[in-house]
Amino acid sequence: MKKIYAIKAAMLALLLGGGYALADEDVKVGFALALSGFIAPYDDGPYKAAQLAIDDINTKGGLLGKKLIAVASDTKSDVDVGAIAATDVIGKGARVIMVTCDFDFGAPAAIVAQSQNVFAFSSCAADPKFGVQGIGPNAYTLATATLTQGSILAEFAYKQANLKTAYLLTDTSGEYMKSLCASFERRFIELAGEAGIVGKDNFHGLNDTSIAGQISRLKASPKQPEAVMFCGAGSAGASFIRQIRATGIDLPLLAGESMDGAYWLGAVPDLSNFYVLAYGSAFGNDPDAKINDFTTRFTAKFGEQPATSHALTGYSVIEAWALAVERAGTFDTDAVRAELDKLKDEPFLAGKTSFTPEAHINLDRPMLVFNIVNGKHEPIGRFSSEVIPELKF
Amino acid sequence: MIYVIQTLVDAVSVGAVYALSALGIGLLFGVMRLVNFAQGEFVTIGIYTLMLTVGLWFPLAAILTVLVVVLLALLADRLAFKPVRDADPATMLITSFALSYLLQNVLVLIFGARPIGFNIIPELGLPVMIGEIRIPRLNILTICVAVGLLTGIALFLRRTRIGIEMRAAAVDFRMARLLGIKGDRVIAVAFALTGVLSAVVAVLFAAQTGTAAPTYGLQLALVGFVATVIGGMGSLVGAVFGGMIVGVVTVCLQALLPPELRVFREAFVYAVVIAILVLRPDGLFQGVGSRERV
């Protein structure tokens, strides 16, 4: 009797799970993303860009002759709902899922995908834990690792902008910001020596409403820095940059991709001397025509420009998976994974992309550096890190 | 030396914003024993109103903000708190949480969760230099406004009829009603006052941060609540001092702690709060409302 139940259960599982996709000629691409709530703005661009990538593939005749269909489920910006959303889209037959642009919010959905042997791609989770070591071999992220971002900024400051001393201001409320400043510091010391870091201070983006104290310490620093590395994000980032500039500190500021986009510039309308890292330009002035073409098509389809260049990573999720599927000639997860792990310097929209069986995040990728001049983003060029940081867990 | 004086100036400036936030929470608690966590959202909605009216003549935008927030506070009283007025304080506390959550999510629904940058009265950000000491004009304004509002409210509570009624209601709500004081009116005025206070905090906060984000008020409400507790629940002067203490201790610790301990600054701030409560369990200034009456 037990055996019959087991067979019935297995048949049911086959019908509900893998069987559904097999019976269907179309291939489902799942999105377990924050479509509403506090994280939604960060998934919005990558999600729309991924839809654009799916359209592009379908107009070219589909993937391995099959049409791609997007199925989405809302995580409601709730970590716990992430797993439910993943189960939902995988239940609907998704062969690959895209999850939230953040390790903490994306991981629960990715763990479900890993357990069902389905791919989980994060658009822009920049924490290397989003990969083999943190989730499993089916987890990939199209972000450039924070380690690399810090290193690029350090080299850019020292070599390109000729800024020989720096002061670090770290927002301790998030892993991204702490890791960015730590990797900047490591690389900057290699270049400029210990004396290159004039001072450092921290603030808490969620608790602090003012950084008057930090600004006073910076002003009182016996040796004034040539630049300030500002590892902040979000509303606190915008607010504190306003406060720094209001006190008359006109030093060059350096920031990671967490300060990409123009949505916050209203707080400091005449901002200048601000170097910020990005995947590309969301404003149509990228040195790479391919990205401007993407921005034009994105704007035509959705009625507005992408708010930040993180959208590019969403497009590249589909690019990476589709290329590996094509090379493997099958949708089989194990075969596709073998191809994904062989991707080397692929010229995707988010930038040159490589994966290895150990590193499912990009450690060696150039990123665009902007200088904001009078509130306008002026691209300087793409820079990569000469030293490729090592993954350490 | 200059750094020390500058740090003290910074400390008082941060403390003044916290003090203003605490004043609103303290006022409502004093009158109706309500710890209103939604007060943070009153401030946030004020900030969004300023964001929407950017470009208007500033005094007009400020008046509009006060009107919107006062209206919101009155509606909150009528629709959310009045139905639970006779319930125990825990129910009212949960109601305020629910209202706070609702308002935050309505803001996300309308404006999205991404912060929006805007620039109001940028001149206020510029500092006044006294020797080498830098005092942002905004901070001078904040301190003046805090003192002004505290004095104004104190006079209102002592000199006007409705203010005296409010104090009577704070001591014994039922007795006050038996003596002919209209409970609904007293509470509505208290809500309107917190609306005015929230709008003022919104203006000062918006001028300082230049950004609108749906969760902005939360931190201010939390600090305001802590300040009210250490100041003495129900005491207005206590609330202001409590806010000042939290601000001053935060900035001084940021300045004094060695770099490796600065990350844990909040833990030290709250250790000071705990120490105050251990020494004076009723807070620094015991409010009329919290005193046990036989």
Side-chain angles (χ1 to χ4, degrees):
Chain A
M1 197 62 187
K2 263 186 185 168
K3 236 182 199 170
I4 295 171
Y5 276 132
I7 292 167
K8 274 187 181 169
M11 283 168 69
L12 195 69
L14 203 68
L15 270 173
L16 289 175
Y20 185 51
L22 286 174
D24 204 328
E25 271 307 294
D26 300 331
V27 169
K28 306 262 171 41
V29 178
F31 294 91
L33 299 174
L35 305 177
S36 61
F38 289 95
I39 308 295
Y42 307 98
D43 275 346
D44 182 63
Y47 176 41
K48 286 175 173 164
Q51 289 172 303
L52 199 61
I54 289 176
D55 288 353
D56 288 351
I57 289 173
N58 286 339
T59 45
K60 284 180 194 155
L63 188 59
L64 299 183
K66 291 181 193 258
K67 190 179 171 199
L68 298 182
I69 305 260
V71 285
S73 185
D74 187 3
T75 67
K76 301 183 173 121
S77 300
D78 185 333
V79 172
D80 299 328
V81 183
I84 299 168
T87 310
D88 182 25
V89 290
I90 293 170
K92 285 176 184 158
R95 307 298 293 263
V96 52
I97 67 167
M98 183 167 128
V99 305
T100 293
C101 165
D102 176 77
F103 178 82
D104 292 338
F105 284 88
I111 289 166
V112 170
Q114 175 64 44
S115 71
Q116 310 265 330
N117 205 23
V118 166
F119 286 115
F121 281 89
S122 172
S123 47
C124 38
D127 187 332
K129 283 202 295 290
F130 199 99
V132 192
Q133 295 83 354
I135 291 165
N138 290 342
Y140 292 81
T141 170
L142 266 294
T144 310
T146 339
L147 295 168
T148 309
Q149 293 187 26
S151 199
I152 294 175
L153 278 169
E155 288 182 14
F156 172 82
Y158 191 80
K159 294 183 174 173
Q160 301 292 326
N162 206 24
L163 302 165
K164 304 296 185 197
T165 54
Y167 190 94
L168 305 177
L169 264 180
T170 314
D171 182 346
T172 53
S173 70
E175 276 308 315
Y176 169 86
M177 289 81 90
K178 285 193 278 185
S179 164
L180 182 71
C181 257
S183 69
F184 176 92
E185 185 182 4
R186 206 176 307 126
R187 185 70 187 121
F188 204 82
I189 287 176
E190 282 171 12
L191 294 165
E194 293 283 348
I197 302 291
V198 174
K200 42 186 174 174
D201 207 350
N202 59 274
F203 58 89
H204 195 285
L206 301 177
N207 291 341
D208 289 345
T209 52
S210 158
I211 55 162
Q214 287 84 340
I215 292 172
S216 296
R217 189 198 300 277
L218 166 59
K219 282 210 155 189
S221 169
K223 195 175 170 209
Q224 281 298 299
E226 290 178 25
V228 176
M229 174 68 191
F230 182 81
C231 300
S235 53
S239 154
F240 296 159
I241 290 166
R242 177 181 168 95
Q243 292 177 34
I244 290 172
R245 284 297 191 238
T247 51
I249 297 176
D250 292 326
L251 289 169
L253 296 174
L254 300 151
E257 39 105 0
S258 55
M259 293 309 297
D260 183 21
Y263 62 92
W264 59 273
L265 279 180
V268 215
D270 50 355
L271 183 66
S272 282
N273 223 1
F274 188 91
Y275 298 103
V276 60
L277 216 54
Y279 289 99
S281 168
F283 314 107
N285 60 351
D286 199 288
D288 187 346
K290 192 172 69 176
I291 288 171
N292 295 333
D293 174 55
F294 162 82
T295 309
T296 312
R297 294 194 301 124
F298 185 102
T299 312
K301 185 170 164 74
F302 299 106
E304 55 183 5
Q305 280 188 342
T308 66
S309 70
H310 296 94
L312 298 169
T313 60
Y315 191 94
S316 292
V317 163
I318 305 298
E319 276 183 304
W321 174 71
L323 183 65
V325 167
E326 256 173 26
R327 287 185 181 164
T330 165
F331 288 98
D332 175 70
T333 302
D334 295 332
V336 175
R337 190 193 311 112
E339 289 300 327
L340 274 170
D341 288 347
K342 281 191 260 177
L343 291 186
K344 178 83 183 141
D345 297 342
E346 303 297 341
F348 294 150
L349 268 193
K352 199 174 76 174
T353 299
S354 309
F355 291 126
T356 67
E358 291 77 36
H360 286 186
I361 187 165
N362 278 278
L363 294 161
D364 176 21
R365 179 197 268 170
M367 289 186 81
L368 185 66
V369 177
F370 280 111
N371 183 13
I372 300 182
V373 181
N374 289 324
K376 291 269 171 284
H377 283 74
E378 294 182 358
I380 298 177
R382 284 193 158 70
F383 298 92
S384 48
S385 173
E386 285 169 19
V387 175
I388 298 165
E390 258 179 73
L391 271 189
K392 277 183 200 150
F393 292 95
Chain B
M1 188 58 200
I2 286 168
Y3 177 55
V4 174
I5 299 172
Q6 183 69 61
T7 302
L8 288 176
V9 170
D10 296 340
V12 173
S13 316
V14 172
V17 177
Y18 288 173
L20 273 179
S21 314
L23 195 54
I25 289 181
L27 182 73
L28 219 47
F29 184 84
V31 176
M32 61 179 291
R33 307 288 183 285
L34 166 68
V35 178
N36 181 20
F37 269 96
Q39 171 124 353
E41 279 59 47
F42 293 179
V43 174
T44 315
I45 288 174
I47 296 174
Y48 274 91
T49 313
L50 286 162
M51 187 266 292
L52 290 175
T53 52
V54 96
L56 276 186
W57 185 51
F58 176 70
L60 186 64
I63 291 168
L64 268 176
T65 306
V66 172
L67 287 179
V68 167
V69 182
V70 167
L71 190 68
L72 175 76
L74 290 174
L75 278 176
D77 171 38
R78 186 71 192 78
L79 301 177
F81 294 111
K82 198 178 171 198
V84 292
R85 196 164 290 163
D86 296 326
D88 61 300
T91 310
M92 291 209 281
L93 182 70
I94 299 297
T95 307
S96 85
F97 270 124
L99 180 65
S100 154
Y101 198 68
L102 173 78
L103 291 175
Q104 263 184 42
N105 283 282
V106 167
L107 284 173
V108 172
L109 215 58
I110 302 173
F111 299 102
R114 201 185 278 285
I116 303 168
F118 64 103
N119 193 18
I120 60 161
I121 36 178
E123 312 79 48
L124 277 183
L126 301 175
V128 173
M129 298 300 291
I130 301 175
E132 284 185 56
I133 306 295
R134 184 191 76 247
I135 310 176
R137 287 177 203 182
L138 182 62
N139 297 351
I140 301 174
L141 181 72
T142 308
I143 294 166
C144 293
V145 166
V147 173
L149 279 176
L150 179 66
T151 320
I153 288 176
L155 285 176
F156 175 81
L157 289 178
R158 276 165 216 283
R159 297 285 163 83
T160 64
R161 187 187 161 83
I162 183 87
I164 294 166
E165 286 180 4
M166 241 185 212
R167 283 165 55 214
V171 175
D172 190 333
F173 192 67
R174 184 193 263 182
M175 190 62 192
R177 286 180 88 171
L178 286 173
L179 291 173
I181 289 172
K182 291 192 173 70
D184 281 353
R185 200 175 66 146
V186 165
I187 287 175
V189 171
F191 266 95
L193 272 180
T194 60
V196 173
L197 286 170
S198 304
V200 170
V201 174
V203 171
L204 295 168
F205 203 62
Q208 179 178 308
T209 64
T211 38
T215 49
Y216 250 165
L218 207 63
Q219 173 57 14
L220 285 176
L222 206 62
V223 171
F225 176 62
V226 173
T228 321
V229 172
I230 57 174
M233 299 291 277
S235 159
L236 291 185
V237 177
V240 170
F241 268 90
M244 195 52 99
I245 288 169
V246 175
V248 168
V249 168
T250 305
V251 175
C252 289
L253 281 173
Q254 181 72 30
L256 294 174
L257 285 176
E260 56 275 16
L261 283 181
R262 250 176 255 158
V263 184
F264 307 108
R265 190 197 60 204
E266 301 304 308
F268 289 95
V269 172
Y270 286 99
V272 173
V273 170
I274 291 168
I276 292 175
L277 288 180
V278 168
L279 294 174
R280 292 189 68 108
D282 288 326
L284 297 171
F285 299 80
Q286 200 183 31
V288 181
S290 61
R291 222 171 282 155
E292 279 295 325
R293 301 184 80 85
V294 185

